[in-house]
Amino acid sequence: MNHSVSKHVPSFAKGLQILVVDDDRDTLSIITAMLELCSYKERKYSIIITSTGEVSEALSMIKEQKSKFKLVMASIDIPEMNPYSFLKASLQCGIGVICKNIIP
């Protein structure tokens, strides 16, 4: 049985711009690479990924470029960040948020 991924990807994914925020460089690199791989395999959707390890930079990007990003993927255990404030700022800009936490 051959299932094509493109059959399951919704049309809103076309041109989707995602901001990935994590202070752990390895995790940031892995998540960014995985998202880029998905975008590469499904070229017609051309997902655009921006990543940063700095919360202050992420907040500036979110506030200054509200219409650019449709989704933020952020670690909730970044020391310099109050996860609730970050979530609130993102949602106020109309950006969807996926929060993650890796438990050691």
Side-chain angles (χ1 to χ4, degrees):
M1 194 180 270
N2 184 7
H3 293 287
S4 173
V5 174
S6 63
K7 290 180 183 177
H8 304 290
V9 178
S11 61
F12 74 82
K14 185 174 184 178
L16 182 66
Q17 295 198 34
I18 301 171
L19 175 60
V20 181
V21 185
D22 199 307
D23 65 333
D24 179 12
R25 290 179 188 247
D26 292 333
T27 302
L28 187 65
S29 295
I30 290 168
I31 292 172
T32 301
M34 289 173 60
L35 290 169
E36 288 173 346
L37 181 61
C38 290
S39 179
Y40 175 76
K41 286 185 174 182
E42 296 300 324
R43 291 181 190 175
K44 63 184 173 184
Y45 292 103
S46 62
I47 298 169
I48 300 164
I49 297 97
T50 303
S51 59
T52 181
E54 302 292 327
V55 174
S56 56
E57 182 180 18
L59 285 171
S60 292
M61 286 191 275
I62 288 169
K63 291 176 182 176
E64 294 170 10
Q65 304 172 36
K66 292 178 189 178
S67 61
K68 179 177 180 178
F69 300 106
K70 299 300 177 206
L71 180 65
V72 174
M73 297 178 72
S75 172
I76 61 168
D77 57 354
I78 296 176
E80 68 177 275
M81 177 179 75
N82 175 332
Y84 300 107
S85 297
F86 186 82
L87 178 62
K88 182 179 178 182
S90 299
L91 293 175
Q92 285 176 337
C93 292
I95 301 171
V97 180
I98 296 174
C99 293
K100 66 166 197 63
N101 187 14
I102 298 175
I103 299 171

